[in-house]
């Protein structure tokens, strides 16, 4: 008789937001069915995890895979493969950098079909919120958008204009009625322009000038505006890539006032500081920019205190020719971090006494699933989708460009020591990555929509 268990993960240290426990994990029909100290039942396949960590599949709610339209920058296939190599089992693709951007249901369905034909992991799709498509929000919701993304400053993409206060307020009012979450890139456009012009007038074009052109104040002004609008409209708001502890504090204060708002940060704000940007150069250019060391350390405190709710990579790559220019302002912004960002956070925790893996299990998986209404995702417990990865903690090994699965082997983390070795990534019970290499490139990713 065929065993009732399809896959038994044996002897690992199972990580949940509540802690780390030594347990076996049984999977059947793509779901976790049992987590217990010793499961003796027969299984079709056994995965030995002794000495390793069994971690919930990372849900990266913030990637730009740029397909269709700019697939030469990344791709739904290469991006998904890189995510899987880093322990990820689902991504939410942003509505811009793909061309045309996802501003209506037809574009969303088009991207969905492409991802279903290319992605080895599950995926959700963001719709855009711009001055051009306020009349398309209902259709985007009906087509299954995971949420709406708006820019409060110039997005750098002409086909994706930013919102002013009036449009954002109107969009949030409509989104609230539709039950859609709105995510904002929170930088104040007027302030960013003022500070940028000051640097350019002074003739400065180096990395330090770029950082000075977008001080924390630019982020804070936008967070204040967005949280006020969320309070007025009742809209669920998600501030993406919060770069500063001051920004986290504003979100925290708004939450205390009862505003439905959450904050995402990115691995690069927790792993790099302004000196690193000067040293690494173009591969570490992003907006909001990477901050100083004191702020980096304070953000880790926000992770540990639960004041930050989620971590997303904001993976936003570009070809090498766009990442080289004498003028730092002219370099395309965006960090390639979908493969190593989360691993390096785990690696940092492995280096500390606290080994705060449970916190990271919350921010990289459980909290994301809860915020985006994916009840089947985010936790290793019976009834949930069997999405997980297995990793071990080893001696530090420098990340080599050759191990990158992204289309362009550009990452600020090349050369950085990493103690985490992801050995397996499993999506709904199916291994996509095993023994440290991809084992199944089949496009088996499923479309995720809120509530399902
Ligand atoms: Zn982004």
């Amino acid at each position: 008789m065929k065993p009732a268990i399809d896959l038994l993960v044996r002897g690992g240290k199972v990580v949940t937001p509540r802690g780390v426990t030594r347990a076996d994990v049984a999977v059947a029909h793509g779901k976790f069915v049992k987590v217990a100290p010793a499961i003796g039942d027969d299984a079709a396949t056994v995965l030995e995890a002794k000495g390793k960590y069994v971690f919930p599949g990372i849900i990266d709610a913030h990637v730009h895979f740029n397909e269709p339209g700019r697939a030469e920058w990344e791709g739904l296939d290469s991006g998904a493969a890189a995510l899987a190599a880093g322990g990820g089992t689902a991504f939410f693709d942003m509505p811009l950098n793909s061309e045309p951007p996802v501003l209506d249901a037809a574009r969303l369905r088009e991207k969905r079909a492409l991802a279903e034909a290319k992605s080895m992991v599950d995926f959700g799709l963001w719709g855009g919120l711009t001055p051009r498509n306020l009349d398309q929000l209902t259709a985007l919701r009906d087509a299954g958008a995971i949420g709406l993304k708006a820019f409060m400053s110039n997005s750098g993409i002409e086909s994706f204009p930013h919102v002013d206060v009036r449009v954002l307020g109107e969009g949030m009012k409509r989104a609230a009625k539709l039950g859609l979450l709105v995510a904002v890139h929170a930088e104040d456009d007027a302030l960013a322009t003022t500070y940028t012009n000051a640097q350019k007038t002074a003739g400065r074009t180096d990395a330090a000038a770029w950082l000075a052109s977008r001080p924390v104040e630019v982020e804070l002004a936008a967070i204040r505006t967005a949280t006020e609008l969320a309070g007025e409209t009742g809209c669920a708001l998600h501030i993406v890539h919060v770069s500063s502890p001051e920004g986290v504090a504003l979100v925290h204060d708004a939450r205390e006032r009862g505003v439905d708002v959450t904050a995402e940060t990115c691995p690069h704000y927790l792993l790099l500081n302004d000196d690193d940007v000067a040293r690494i150069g173009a591969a570490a250019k992003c907006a909001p920019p990477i901050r100083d060391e004191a702020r980096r350390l304070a953000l880790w405190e926000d992770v540990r205190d639960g004041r930050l709710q989620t971590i997303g990579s904001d993976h936003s790559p570009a070809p090498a020719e766009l990442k080289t220019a004498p003028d730092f302002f002219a370099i395309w912004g965006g960090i390639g971090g979908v493969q190593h960002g989360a691993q390096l956070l785990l690696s940092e925790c492995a280096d500390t006494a606290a080994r705060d893996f449970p916190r990271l299990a919350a921010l990289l998986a459980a909290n994301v699933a809860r915020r985006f209404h994916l009840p089947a995702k985010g936790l290793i417990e019976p009834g949930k989708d069997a999405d997980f990865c297995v990793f071990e903690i080893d001696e530090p090994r420098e990340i080599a460009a050759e191990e990158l699965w992204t289309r362009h082997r550009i990452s600020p983390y090349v050369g950085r020591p990493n103690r985490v070795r992801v050995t397996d990534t499993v999506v709904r019970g199916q291994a996509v990555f095993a023994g440290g290499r991809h084992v199944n490139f089949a496009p088996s990713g499923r479309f995720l929509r809120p509530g399902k």
Side-chain angles (χ1 to χ4, degrees), residues 62-64 94 96 149 151 185 240-241 314-316:
H62 191 161
V63 304
H64 302 261
M94 281 294 171
L96 75 162
K149 166 75 178 291
F151 267 72
H185 174 120
V240 297
H241 53 49
D314 194 9
H315 177 75
S316 191

Side-chain angles (χ1 to χ4, degrees), residues 60-184:
D60 192 339
H62 191 161
V63 304
H64 302 261
F65 286 168
N66 302 332
E67 193 169 359
R70 285 190 186 83
E72 71 278 13
W73 291 22
E74 190 57 273
L76 293 158
D77 48 2
S78 55
L83 176 65
T89 53
F91 64 85
F92 305 163
D93 193 57
M94 281 294 171
L96 75 162
N97 296 21
S98 52
E99 194 66 44
V102 178
L103 298 183
D104 59 44
R107 295 287 89 77
L108 190 134
R109 282 193 290 267
E110 182 188 16
K111 193 187 273 189
R112 174 183 173 174
L114 272 173
E116 282 170 340
K118 294 190 170 201
S119 176
M120 66 170 68
V121 301
D122 290 350
F123 63 95
L125 298 177
W126 289 93
L129 167 56
T130 74
R132 293 181 188 167
N133 73 324
L134 283 175
D135 57 343
Q136 298 296 322
L137 306 186
T138 307
L140 280 167
R141 193 272 314 266
D142 293 345
I146 201 79
L148 300 171
K149 166 75 178 291
F151 267 72
M152 296 176 74
S153 58
N154 188 332
S155 75
I157 301 268
E158 224 172 283
S159 56
F160 200 93
H162 71 273
V163 292
D164 60 15
V165 177
R166 190 194 64 78
V167 172
L168 183 57
E170 181 59 29
M172 284 168 82
K173 206 160 84 186
R174 295 182 190 201
K177 280 201 191 105
L178 293 166
L180 269 177
L181 173 146
V182 168
V184 293

Side-chain angles (χ1 to χ4, degrees), residues 4 26 46 76-77 85 110 113-114 154 167 183 195-196 215 255 290-291 305 351 355 448:
V46 175
L76 293 158
D77 48 2
E110 182 188 16
L114 272 173
N154 188 332
V167 172
Y195 283 109
T196 301
R255 288 168 64 84
I290 285 161
R291 308 297 182 183
D305 294 349
D351 283 336
R355 283 221 169 171
L448 303 172

Side-chain angles (χ1 to χ4, degrees), residues 244-246 248-249 297-308:
S244 64
E246 296 95 323
V248 175
L297 294 174
L299 277 182
W300 269 110
E301 290 310 307
D302 289 330
V303 167
R304 297 202 168 97
D305 294 349
R307 285 155 67 96
L308 269 161

